[in-house]
Amino acid sequence: AQRVTQPEKLLSVFKGAPVELKCNYSYSGSPELFWYVQYSRQRLQLLLRHISRESIKGFTADLNKGETSFHLKKPFAQEEDSAMYYCALTLLSGAGSYQLTFGKGTKLSVIP
Amino acid sequence: DTGVSQDPRHKITKRGQNVTFRCDPISEHNRLYWYRQTLGQGPEFLTYFQNEAQLEKSRLLSDRFSAERPKGSFSTLEIQRTEQGDSAMYLCASSFAYGYTFGSGTRLTVV
């Protein structure tokens, strides 16, 4: 069965410092990987997906199949980045669903 | 279209009572999902609809849980004979494919 591991429950960094949120996954196939973010009092929303190779709000994530990792990075943290971040993977099931498997999340706190 | 709407936002119920939640997805989305999130955990998949057909159910979905999506539009999730372990945030999401849009969730507290 697939699994997503986010080893840090809480990560505190100073404003302007680099950020790296770790995510490791276990799955024998080739899943699609995502990062979701939940700001305070807001709904869960998609931050980025590995297939699009884009940078959103200065964040990037590279899929490393050898290390089965999908770490989220940003060179300079901003206070507005403080939020809960979830790594997730999906695979297309036989029933046609894109069921997501989430990690437990990492709370990022950016200190002014 | 204002996105995925869930109602109610909060529900407090006594153990043993039945509760029903509603989800209104984005109208063009044919896929609808229910997830459950407990404290300190990421969301966990409960069930999936494609149009009106319920095509997948997680083992988390005991026989006290039932979900419907009549006419392929809104969906309801009912929990019968609630237990304290059912206390959680219940999230609905809709999509075409990968791109989920989540609702704000319904927070259930069973006392």
Side-chain angles (χ1 to χ4, degrees), chain A residues 4-21:
Chain A
V4 176
T5 303
Q6 293 180 252
E8 304 137 329
K9 291 182 72 172
L10 174 64
L11 182 65
S12 296
V13 300
F14 285 101
K15 178 181 172 181
V19 175
E20 183 179 47
L21 300 171

Side-chain angles (χ1 to χ4, degrees), chain A residues 14-19 57-58 73-79 81 110:
Chain A
F14 285 101
K15 178 181 172 181
V19 175
K57 299 184 179 183
K73 299 178 184 179
K74 184 171 183 178
F76 308 104
Q78 303 298 315
E79 288 180 64
D81 296 329
V110 180

Side-chain angles (χ1 to χ4, degrees), chain A residues 76-87:
Chain A
F76 308 104
Q78 303 298 315
E79 288 180 64
E80 56 265 29
D81 296 329
S82 294
M84 197 73 184
Y85 290 81
Y86 294 95
C87 183

